[in-house]
Amino acid sequence: MTNDVSVKPDEAKPAARAEATLLPPVDVIEDAQGITLYADLPGVPKDKVTLHVEDDTLSIEGEVALPVPEGMQASHAEVQLPRYRRVFQLSKELDADKVSAELNHGVLKLRIPKAEHAQPRKVEIRVG
């Protein structure tokens, strides 16, 4: 991934909520048309995922919803924090207005295309 077109973790920004959150692992893949970001959000249903794009900042939040049968409680729970949160700084080469998202089996897939001015283009050569 080049430095011109990037998605950089921006964990220095203050969290929107004061509670502690899990940091979901992500993979970022760049191609000629843009970036695909995969975030692991196990236990988070679609209606508990929130995506915000503001200026050049992308925020991913999710709330774990693991049902426990009524009258029972977990005897062992390794996941103590019920929320995920991750913030990224988007490069100006990406078109933040055209972000698309899909959640499948606990993996959030975001597609962020490059802005038109950053897309590769073929230059026509004229005979003159």
Side-chain angles (χ1 to χ4, degrees):
M1 185 165 53
T2 67
N3 288 333
D4 295 331
V5 180
S6 64
V7 176
K8 297 178 190 169
D10 190 9
E11 305 306 337
K13 290 197 175 197
R17 293 173 173 75
E19 67 186 75
T21 59
L22 294 168
L23 194 64
V26 299
D27 292 321
V28 179
I29 300 167
E30 181 181 352
D31 60 30
Q33 288 76 41
I35 287 178
T36 303
L37 183 145
Y38 296 93
D40 292 336
L41 301 171
V44 179
K46 179 183 171 215
D47 63 331
K48 298 288 186 176
V49 175
T50 306
L51 299 174
H52 290 285
V53 177
E54 188 174 332
D55 297 324
D56 58 349
T57 302
L58 167 69
S59 300
I60 301 170
E61 293 187 43
E63 187 175 330
V64 177
L66 299 175
V68 177
E70 190 175 324
M72 300 185 118
Q73 64 182 26
S75 61
H76 177 78
E78 291 186 2
V79 178
Q80 298 294 322
L81 302 173
R83 298 187 61 77
Y84 290 98
R85 179 169 167 74
R86 193 83 188 252
V87 179
F88 297 91
Q89 198 70 34
L90 301 177
S91 97
K92 298 293 184 192
E93 302 299 313
L94 296 172
D95 190 344
D97 293 332
K98 295 184 179 173
V99 175
S100 63
E102 161 184 331
L103 182 66
N104 194 15
H105 299 291
V107 178
L108 178 67
K109 175 184 175 184
L110 298 177
R111 181 67 185 160
I112 310 168
K114 288 182 182 176
E116 191 171 317
H117 70 274
Q119 294 278 345
R121 62 185 177 90
K122 186 174 181 178
V123 177
E124 182 181 334
I125 302 172
R126 293 186 227 167
V127 177

